[in-house]
Amino acid sequence: MHLPLSDMYNQPDERNLLDQMRQGVIGQPLDRPEGPLKVSGTATYAAEWRIDGCVEGVLVLAGIAQGQVSKIDRDAVLSREGVIAVIADPAMTRRPAQGMAAKAPQQDAAKVEYFGQPVALVVAQTFEQARDAALALPIYYTDAEGDPVPFDPAAPGVKVEAPSSSKPVEGGDLDQAMQDAAFSVDVEYDTPGHASAAMEPHATIAQWQGDSLILHGSYQMLSYNVKEIADCLGLSTDKVRIIAPYVGGGFGSKLGITHEAVAAALAARGLGRPVRVVMSRQQVFQTVIRRSETRQRVRLAADPAGRLIGLGHEALVSNLPGEKFAEPVTQATEFLYGGENRLLKVEVVRISRLTAGSVRAPGEAVGMQVLEAAMDELAEKIGIDPIELRKRNLPAEVPVAGTPYSSRMLTQALEQGAEAFGWSARQDRPCQTRDGDWWIGMGVASAARVNMMVPAKAKVTLTADGSAVVESDQTDIGTGSYAILGQIAGEMLGLPMSRVDVKLGDTVHPAGAGSGGSFGAISTGSAVMYACEAIRAKLAKALGCDADALVLKDGMASGGNAPARPLRDLLNGEDIAETGTIKPGKTAKSFSQASYGAFFAEVAVHAFTGEVRVRRMTGAFGFGRVLNAKTARSQCLGGMVWGIGSALTEELAFDTRDGHLVNHDLAEYHVPVHADVPAIEVILLEERDAAASPLQAKGVGELGICGAAGAIANAVYNACGVRVRSFPLTLDKILPALPDPFASGADTAL
Ligand code: MOS
């Protein structure tokens, strides 16, 4: 056994250490260790910390989409009972930066760029007093206009820009391929904006100790968030500590700091006492990032055998002027299917709606659902099974770039998923199956999501009593970080889970990856594994065997000719502490790394009303090693539930008169609830991928949404013959195109 020469992941670590261990906890569907705290209400979330002398802040949001704040009439509320201050500061109202360590743009506090942008903070003794004063605070505007820029590149005054974050992919001659094609599809789809709708609203308690700032908050990537807040307030990063052991969901909305954090920090500094700012659900909707709406043109050109010779995927997305983030709609299209003649491109329409940013599986979530619906259209034109079409179009290497795949379980996912789902019962033409007043149909879609590694550190201490402590500022946003990091350490050090303690979510610990882009588990997990490997080397030396020969199980060490000894003996009263590090290296470029899968959906479409019900879904996924079969399955389930929302209900609706977000709560923004979610089957395909990470695992957190809505849309078409190219597929879009409910086939029994 050798230690990695460099912490850069420059070549696949083929040693596959985890499979050589003996404890047998890795991959097991173990419960989350923090679960009992969460279900008993004793896990402390951001707003729940009790801090002496803490006062309450409530944000005040702009009531116009574009213009200037000319006056904030503080005096009108300062005399109210309990009101302490009204604060308006440029740093507080500017947008959260979207790029790593990017300087937030300097701008005038008084400039309003979207309806709902925070313009002031009211601080009072109690939350109710602060809220009351915030609602009453008079704000005056000049230059107020309505929604000046709709999501329409043809509208007057609209700017459309190439994003700085991605370049088009071009190869061959797509137009010619479309002309030469035996079968082709040229379609335009649109998808609406989405809210992340994390269960825990954004909240921060800020507390200064001298010139140092402590934030209790709800964030996804703490060491990055420290940089952001330090940048915002002009502090050095060592003056900022963030504590976030429990985070009630993020889905991208907590990747970056949000306004309440900056407002709380500024207010606490100004007032010399701790300040808590909790956003209301409506404020979260109005001010925290959204997923961009998209308009996507897909062109597919196939030869007579159903092989793609051309592939076009062009998307319009939106964001505020100056924002770097552009929903990377074509990210998976780049490597998923063949078609040497291609054009993949994203352009950004600049509009006055709240900042667009990463929302679970940015790019694939909306790109895959459209690509997969278009593939269904092509399969129908060719007259082949949609699964067969996909299998025929898996390239040997990434088109244009020529990069090899690290591993790809797409064929297996399609085949095993089809078997489990009962795909063979599907009718290949629409309107063939009825169950009473409902048309029944089945659909399939591929899943794909890029795998990413980001720099991560973790410290592991094997204490003298033979227990392990794992420490990292890695967050657990409901995904299972506590569980899987403990399992990796337990497996590597031969300890049962009862003897592994995982401490996360505090920047006093080494900087983990954070939770984002499905990279937390593989990045911070690899750091934990390397830290344990270093500990193993020391244990082997103490025992007197080669590191390769060391066997650790249930707190006992053995190996070579050395007699087995309890770890506690071997440690001889000393702790062993090691810090593991991993950074992305050459493997990130030399291999195309992605997690894959397949979705199957059966839907019922009401023959008279067009209402769609998802009856059942199956997902089969291959994402390298499964670190914990329960938490991985839950991620896939959650993604598929969002797929149902994307397909049928979720849509941010902006008022075109004044730009305000109309459905800014969970009553009006419809996420699937229990009654909308049928039995969902998840199949986990074991795989090893050494190029992706030393754990041989890939990301899974976002995979379950990447294409799921496409399978549902395809099932809707298969049921009733209505192809809706505008998500979500609400009944008003389906109803006008429904066939005669009494037409032939209507009496087919299910
Ligand atoms: Mo994810 S949208 O990168 O939290």
Side-chain angles (χ1 to χ4, degrees), residues 220 250-255 358-362 449 452 477 515-519 702:
Q220 294 178 221
F251 309 110
S253 71
K254 297 169 183 170
L255 283 170
S358 291
V359 178
R360 196 178 195 169
R449 170 68 178 162
M452 287 178 268
I477 59 172
S515 302
S518 303
F519 53 59
E702 297 161 310

